[in-house]
Amino acid sequence: EAQLLESGGGLVQPGGSLRLSCAASGFIFSNYAMIWVRQAPGKGLEWVSAIRESGSGTYYADSVKGRFTISRDNYENTLFLEMNSLRVEDTAVYYCAQKLPADWYFHLWGRGTLVTVSS
Amino acid sequence: IVMTQSPDTLSVSPGERATLSCRASQSVNSDLAWYQQKPGQVPRLLIYGASTRATGVPARFTGSGSGTEFTLTISSLQSEDFAVYYCQRYNKWPLVFGGGTKVEIK
């Protein structure tokens, strides 16, 4: 069974850093592009970043560009999100999701990891 | 591109039809997906390509539209359909989700 499992969330002060991981299992990870999506408490979904299968192409929302870095390790079947210069408004549950082969919509999602930015 | 969903909240009785709208500020062709999210759960893909049901999605869910105007219709609401629904466009970067429509029990 294909699964995604996020980890690395927690409480961090404004200006701090955090690294999220998304462990993939049950499918050939290197064959799929991946994304991060976040959801602030009680709010809607916001796309954060995306990465192509080989890691050669990466994309970012304007709200995180220059502060967040997406990467992947296709040998360890893991997706990462390095988050720097964190702001209070980055507080959210962060989900990783698998892109379906045809286009950029998403069928497989992880359970999410909560990031809280607060002093 | 901004994706605007309406209404914010839709109150519907079980068995009734629900019609949700998603409007794009520029054409997204048919590159539009719909997701359902229940409290405490992750989003579930319902529709892609504006009108194609994802695997396992019941036939009571129908997506329609193209360009800038899209509709998700739930023909006869079941108890498990009360949730928040999001549209998402994927024709170009950045990917954008709509603000969501909450379907609640009337």
Side-chain angles (χ1 to χ4, degrees), chain B residues 59-70:
Chain B
R60 63 181 181 272
F61 290 91
T62 302
S64 63
S66 66
T68 61
E69 299 283 343
F70 300 88

Side-chain angles (χ1 to χ4, degrees), chain A:
Chain A
E1 179 188 2
Q3 288 188 6
L4 298 170
L5 182 63
E6 302 92 340
S7 61
L11 175 63
V12 61
Q13 292 187 338
S17 299
L18 215 51
R19 189 193 201 200
L20 305 184
S21 299
C22 169
S25 61
F27 64 97
I28 301 174
F29 181 67
S30 59
N31 285 356
Y32 292 87
M34 300 290 294
I35 66 164
W36 288 97
V37 170
R38 68 186 180 183
Q39 187 167 35
K43 302 298 184 182
L45 302 172
E46 179 188 14
W47 170 71
V48 172
S49 184
I51 187 167
R52 292 196 179 270
E53 294 86 336
S54 65
S56 59
T58 58
Y59 309 87
Y60 298 92
D62 286 345
S63 59
V64 306
K65 199 173 295 182
R67 300 187 299 124
F68 290 11
T69 301
I70 191 171
S71 63
R72 64 191 296 161
D73 184 334
N74 285 344
Y75 294 100
E76 296 294 330
N77 296 330
T78 305
L79 174 72
F80 301 101
L81 186 68
E82 187 78 36
M83 304 186 296
N84 297 316
S85 303
L86 282 162
R87 304 167 180 169
V88 171
E89 55 265 35
D90 294 320
T91 295
V93 174
Y94 284 72
Y95 299 101
C96 61
Q98 176 204 64
K99 171 188 171 294
L100 281 168
D103 220 317
W104 291 89
Y105 44 85
F106 313 97
H107 177 67
L108 180 64
W109 296 67
R111 299 296 302 173
T113 187
L114 176 62
V115 172
T116 303
V117 185
S118 175
S119 54

